[in-house]
Amino acid sequence: MEFGLTEKQQVREKMILYFSVLLISLSMGIISHFLLLSLSLVSGFRTNHNFLLLFLPIIGLLTAFVYEKYGKGSQKGNNLIIESTQSEISVPLRMGLFTFVFTILTHLFGGSAGREGSAVQIGGVLSNKAGKFFKLSQENRRQLIHAGVSAGFSSIFGTPLAGAFFGMEMVYIGKIERSSLISCFFASYFANFVSLHLGTTHELYRITNMPLVSLKVLIVVSLSAVAFGIFGHLFALFTHTLKSVYKEKIPNYLVRALISSLIFVVFVFLFSGQKYEGLSLNLMNDAFAGKASFLDPIMKLFYTGLTLGAGFQGGEVTPLFDIGSTLGSSIGTMTGISPSFLAALGLISVFGCAANVPITTIMLGIDLFGVQALPYYALASFISYSISGHQGIYTSQTVHQAKYSFLKKHEGYRLSEIKERKK
């Protein structure tokens, strides 16, 4: 209940809130459909025109120039959306347009990135603007932003259950925003419904061979979860460290964009890394077919880190899916346990621990693979989440409850602030 408001005003506020949630969900279903359609078209075109990679440094320069001159803080991406739930800061509307356009350009010219970053950012931008336009109270505006995040995640991946929890779990480590539950669930399911109704299709991966419960399976799953946590930690660490090193060593933002982009292009040509460009959905296909190698997760982590470290737009989630599924599959091949089973656990867990969203991780497993492996989703999720520590892809996340008692000194601080305190 909002203090200082009459009961009639509170009812009116809630009606405006849910009307806004409806508008944002409808908008995100439409936007995600066209974003996915655009990415499919440019990815297919790039595959048949490998020379486009040579022009990626130009896109890097253009991205850096536009965000520096006209971004007004848009460079912070999803971290700005997270911060907007904690205080009434300005989130520029142009941020949504920029991330849509430059995500497409990143994929057209061969950058190794994802897609959820754009959808979540756009959902957060629209929610912020709607809350301001309708003059919602801070509490209701915050709920609307959580709902916008849920709508973006759900409609871009076709995972409404995971999307609902992602919106509630993204902002804090060790806390779920339960006050936003109704808004997030409605936004997630309705945005996904709209996207599917427009003709959106999503990649389907299945656990083709579910192993019987045994001591060996439990041990392998547990040890695999440790590996998933390590890779999730390394992904975030590598990406953030690379950004910091580039910024420290190359002060001029245009020179920095040019050199970091050229480094990516050179490595792709030196090590024949074309298979790691774009979304690299072929990696997940190989993983669930049992054809992945242990080199795949390492190389995808490396190339995606170079891409995001250079400042290109896109996202981290689909690359994390690639890394996790190929890592799990390769472990399955080595241990004689169903590669598709461990690929599924790796897909959800590497993402979940890197984003610090363990409940979302479990729900993602249900959305994508059904409930048959639910106990294993939970086991892999919580082990990898614990192993990854206070590291993550969203540096504006605040530690509400530390993962370990000896890390309680981190509570109340954002991940970026923890790093500064260590320095």
Side-chain angles (χ1 to χ4, degrees):
M1 302 296 281
E2 297 291 335
F3 293 102
L5 296 179
T6 65
E7 185 175 342
K8 184 177 180 180
Q9 288 173 324
Q10 292 170 9
V11 171
R12 179 178 176 275
E13 272 260 331
K14 286 300 179 184
M15 290 178 65
I16 295 174
L17 168 63
Y18 293 128
F19 175 72
S20 301
V21 170
L22 177 66
L23 287 181
I24 298 302
S25 307
L26 176 63
S27 300
M28 284 314 305
I30 296 170
I31 291 170
S32 291
H33 170 74
F34 285 104
L35 176 59
L36 289 171
L37 181 62
S38 300
L39 288 176
S40 178
L41 291 174
V42 299
S43 297
F45 186 80
R46 184 198 68 243
T47 301
N48 296 319
H49 301 83
N50 289 327
F51 68 89
L52 288 172
L53 182 65
L54 296 172
F55 297 95
L56 187 64
I58 297 176
I59 301 304
L61 284 171
L62 180 63
T63 303
F65 177 79
V66 170
Y67 272 84
E68 180 71 22
K69 293 299 182 182
Y70 307 105
K72 291 188 176 181
S74 299
Q75 298 93 329
K76 298 180 75 172
N78 283 327
N79 287 305
L80 186 63
I81 302 302
I82 290 175
E83 292 171 19
S84 73
T85 67
Q86 302 165 341
S87 59
E88 293 194 42
I89 60 176
S90 175
V91 177
L93 184 61
R94 66 191 68 181
M95 177 177 169
L97 176 62
F98 286 173
T99 190
F100 188 101
V101 172
F102 285 103
T103 293
I104 293 171
L105 289 176
T106 296
H107 284 273
L108 175 60
F109 290 91
S112 177
R115 53 196 170 183
E116 100 300 331
S118 299
V120 170
Q121 281 183 53
I122 295 171
V125 168
L126 294 180
S127 299
N128 268 281
K129 292 305 176 184
K132 185 175 181 180
F133 178 81
F134 289 115
K135 299 179 181 178
L136 292 174
S137 65
Q138 184 174 353
E139 170 62 22
N140 285 324
R141 184 186 63 85
R142 183 176 59 80
Q143 289 188 31
L144 182 58
I145 297 169
H146 286 296
V149 168
S150 289
F153 190 95
S154 169
S155 55
I156 207 72
F157 289 119
T159 53
L161 190 56
F165 279 90
F166 185 74
M168 293 186 284
E169 205 174 16
M170 178 188 182
V171 175
Y172 295 98
I173 293 177
K175 177 185 177 182
I176 295 179
E177 286 289 341
R178 289 174 292 181
S179 61
S180 303
L181 187 147
I182 296 175
S183 298
C184 286
F185 264 86
F186 178 84
S188 186
Y189 275 88
F190 188 62
N192 183 57
F193 169 80
V194 172
S195 181
L196 293 176
H197 189 71
L198 290 173
T200 299
T201 57
H202 299 282
E203 301 81 17
L204 296 177
Y205 304 100
R206 301 187 185 282
I207 299 175
T208 56
N209 183 15
M210 181 73 182
L212 298 175
V213 177
S214 68
L215 181 61
K216 177 185 176 181
V217 169
L218 292 174
I219 291 174
V220 170
V221 168
S222 298
L223 293 177
S224 298
V226 172
F228 300 152
I230 292 172
F231 266 74
H233 179 94
L234 290 177
F235 179 91
L237 180 63
F238 179 57
T239 303
H240 298 321
T241 301
L242 199 57
K243 286 182 179 179
S244 299
V245 170
Y246 280 149
K247 191 172 184 178
E248 179 183 346
K249 301 297 182 182
I250 315 173
N252 185 287
Y253 76 95
L254 287 177
V255 176
R256 181 166 65 243
L258 179 62
I259 292 177
S260 57
S261 301
L262 284 170
I263 289 173
F264 174 83
V265 172
V266 169
F267 272 108
V268 170
F269 281 115
L270 278 179
F271 299 102
S272 300
Q274 286 80 6
K275 69 184 288 189
Y276 304 107
E277 293 178 19
L279 295 172
S280 303
L281 299 179
N282 57 299
L283 293 178
M284 280 191 272
N285 292 330
D286 289 345
F288 282 86
K291 299 177 182 178
S293 77
F294 191 69
L295 188 63
D296 287 332
I298 297 173
M299 298 306 291
K300 185 60 180 177
L301 186 155
F302 176 69
Y303 283 114
T304 302
L306 289 180
T307 300
L308 300 178
F312 288 100
Q313 289 295 297
E316 302 94 344
V317 174
T318 303
L320 287 167
F321 287 172
D322 295 329
I323 294 166
S325 60
T326 51
L327 176 60
S329 180
S330 59
I331 293 174
T333 300
M334 289 188 295
T335 58
I337 292 178
S338 171
S340 64
F341 167 67
L342 287 176
L345 297 185
L347 184 153
I348 63 174
S349 299
V350 173
F351 149 70
C353 69
N356 290 304
V357 288
I359 305 302
T360 300
T361 304
I362 298 170
M363 301 306 161
L364 184 64
I366 295 173
D367 273 330
L368 295 177
F369 310 111
V371 298
Q372 59 176 335
L374 179 57
Y376 295 111
Y377 303 154
L379 179 63
S381 172
F382 288 118
I383 290 177
S384 59
Y385 172 74
S386 299
I387 290 294
S388 63
H390 291 165
Q391 180 70 262
I393 55 179
Y394 306 126
T395 56
S396 290
Q397 280 181 325
T398 299
V399 180
H400 178 78
Q401 182 174 343
K403 297 184 181 181
Y404 297 103
S405 58
F406 64 85
L407 294 178
K408 288 187 73 67
K409 60 185 178 181
H410 293 167
E411 291 181 355
Y413 291 96
R414 290 174 178 165
L415 295 182
S416 57
E417 294 171 338
I418 292 171
K419 292 179 183 178
E420 290 301 318
R421 284 167 59 86
K422 287 180 179 179
K423 291 180 182 179

